[in-house]
Amino acid sequence: MSKEVLLDVRHLTQQFHLTKKIKVKAVDDVSFQIHKGEIFGLVGESGSGKSTVARCLMNIYQPAQGEIWYKDVNICDKKEFKKHKKMLQTRRQMIFQDSASSLNQKMRVSDIITEPMRIQHITPPRGSFVKEAAFQMEYVGLENSFLDRYPSELSGGQRQRVAIARALAKETPIIVADEPTGNLDSKAAEDVIRLLNEIAKDKLVIIVTHNLEQVERYATRLIKMHDGKILEDKTLKRPDKERGHKAGDYEDITFGGRLKLGVRNAFNIPAKFILIFAVFLFISFAVAGTYSSFQKTEYQESLFGYNEFFSDTS
């Protein structure tokens, strides 16, 4: 029985403008398919185009040419993407190399893990957000005592595990890890790769890295890139048997949810709140001052008998 194709990349091309006249092709006519249950290694040296491909898969970059099909939806088609935006946004999660900057430094770990669920109005499978965060923390090998900590109180490997736990809580079937071990020591890097390998049993995990040795041991498939092209595409082993994971159908965030999220994000960093409040006061006084100035001018003109119909009052 053939594996389910989750992503079908067809003739993907991406270019960037160095100047108005000079263009550089970061990805040049790349095509491949990725199946559910694979741990997919996208490897190559710096500048080979691997990270650009990953960002196109996540729709962070809009490719210059080509198609990327997720099941029956071409995510490169703006109309199709807009039509299926809710579904597509709940199906993918990206884990970046610099986990310190990708995690909200002013939020506790428990809130970081469950935030995507709150935004998408996902009902926690285990009854509460606290229980869900604790379950995911245990799965990624961290103690529950870490739930009340902030990212700054964690090591690099622990922050990456929190980022993975957040992706797992969102129940997304596609996880893209862009250089997930770039800032980690060898032991922490090995632990993260092993964890991603375990996750790949019922999800699609794409690991983007320049370190072939780290992923070759676990990957089911490797694509080597060079100068924006595929240098080699080889299958290393068959993916493990799927465990029948299914992603839920989630609702878009409501107006009330947006309001709560906005208020929380406005107040979680005092300096940001003060800046926003100062800008708000400046704009309010500027508009009020301009309006009162026009009102004063109209009043003074009315004292002399001027109006728009009879300019010659004599």
Side-chain angles (χ1 to χ4, degrees):
M1 184 177 179
S2 61
K3 284 276 187 178
E4 177 187 355
V5 176
L6 274 187
L7 289 173
D8 187 1
V9 180
R10 305 175 186 176
H11 307 289
L12 183 68
T13 298
Q14 177 63 301
Q15 58 188 15
F16 297 103
H17 293 261
L18 295 182
T19 64
K20 290 183 178 180
K21 296 182 179 180
I22 301 176
K23 299 178 183 179
V24 175
K25 277 190 177 181
V27 180
D28 189 5
D29 195 20
V30 168
S31 299
F32 56 87
Q33 289 183 337
I34 314 179
H35 302 82
K36 185 177 181 179
E38 284 190 316
I39 181 163
F40 185 89
L42 194 58
V43 300
E45 70 276 9
S46 179
S48 62
K50 60 186 185 301
S51 292
T52 302
V53 170
R55 281 164 170 75
C56 289
L57 294 178
M58 299 299 291
N59 210 249
I60 296 174
Y61 292 162
Q62 185 71 23
Q65 295 177 8
E67 300 174 347
I68 301 174
W69 289 83
Y70 173 77
K71 295 188 176 181
D72 297 326
V73 181
N74 178 15
I75 66 174
C76 297
D77 187 314
K78 292 183 179 180
K79 291 182 179 179
E80 283 294 301
F81 182 83
K82 186 176 182 180
K83 181 180 178 182
H84 301 277
K85 186 177 180 180
K86 295 178 186 178
M87 181 269 289
L88 292 170
Q89 286 181 336
T90 59
R91 293 308 193 263
R92 299 164 296 161
Q93 182 71 37
M94 195 158 190
I95 300 170
F96 294 94
Q97 173 181 349
D98 187 5
S99 56
S101 62
S102 65
L103 302 179
N104 191 326
Q105 301 297 302
K106 299 297 181 179
M107 291 177 63
R108 289 185 174 88
V109 168
S110 58
D111 293 328
I112 290 173
I113 293 174
T114 57
E115 184 179 30
M117 301 178 69
R118 298 175 191 273
I119 292 175
Q120 296 294 338
H121 281 246
I122 302 172
T123 302
R126 285 150 195 93
S128 71
F129 290 111
V130 175
K131 290 182 180 179
E132 185 65 30
F135 176 84
Q136 299 301 345
M137 284 288 281
E138 183 179 355
Y139 185 86
V140 299
L142 293 177
E143 298 177 359
N144 288 344
S145 59
F146 288 95
L147 286 171
D148 291 328
R149 296 190 185 183
Y150 294 91
S152 60
E153 299 172 333
L154 304 176
S155 67
Q158 290 167 345
R159 286 195 294 265
Q160 282 293 43
R161 287 171 180 267
V162 170
I164 294 172
R166 178 177 59 182
L168 293 175
K170 192 180 176 183
E171 291 287 347
T172 173
I174 301 176
I175 295 178
V176 179
D178 189 6
E179 297 283 3
T181 61
N183 295 332
L184 307 180
D185 58 64
S186 57
K187 185 182 183 304
E190 177 72 15
D191 291 341
V192 168
I193 295 296
R194 190 184 298 114
L195 177 58
L196 290 172
N197 177 60
E198 177 66 25
I199 293 169
K201 290 180 179 179
D202 56 357
K203 300 177 185 293
L204 167 60
V205 175
I206 303 171
I207 300 179
V208 183
T209 181
H210 65 278
N211 194 330
L212 175 61
E213 294 179 357
Q214 278 187 344
V215 298
E216 195 170 22
R217 178 180 169 187
Y218 298 100
T220 59
R221 180 143 159 253
L222 277 178
I223 282 185
K224 294 181 182 179
M225 294 194 65
H226 179 70
D227 287 343
K229 294 180 177 290
I230 293 179
L231 194 64
E232 183 181 13
D233 183 352
K234 62 179 180 179
T235 300
L236 302 179
K237 57 183 178 181
R238 289 187 176 183
D240 294 334
K241 186 178 180 180
E242 296 179 26
R243 296 195 296 237
H245 170 84
K246 292 182 180 180
D249 294 323
Y250 311 133
E251 300 177 358
D252 191 14
I253 185 170
T254 62
F255 176 77
R258 294 177 191 273
L259 185 61
K260 289 180 181 178
L261 190 64
V263 171
R264 187 177 67 178
N265 288 340
F267 285 94
N268 64 354
I269 303 177
K272 181 173 72 173
F273 170 72
I274 293 172
L275 178 61
I276 293 174
F277 186 66
V279 172
F280 171 76
L281 288 179
F282 174 79
I283 294 175
S284 299
F285 281 117
V287 172
T290 303
Y291 178 74
S292 62
S293 177
F294 278 115
Q295 289 290 92
K296 181 179 180 181
T297 302
E298 287 185 358
Y299 173 73
Q300 289 177 339
E301 288 180 350
S302 68
L303 296 178
F304 293 100
Y306 297 131
N307 60 66
E308 58 182 322
F309 301 106
F310 303 102
S311 58
D312 188 358
T313 55
S314 62

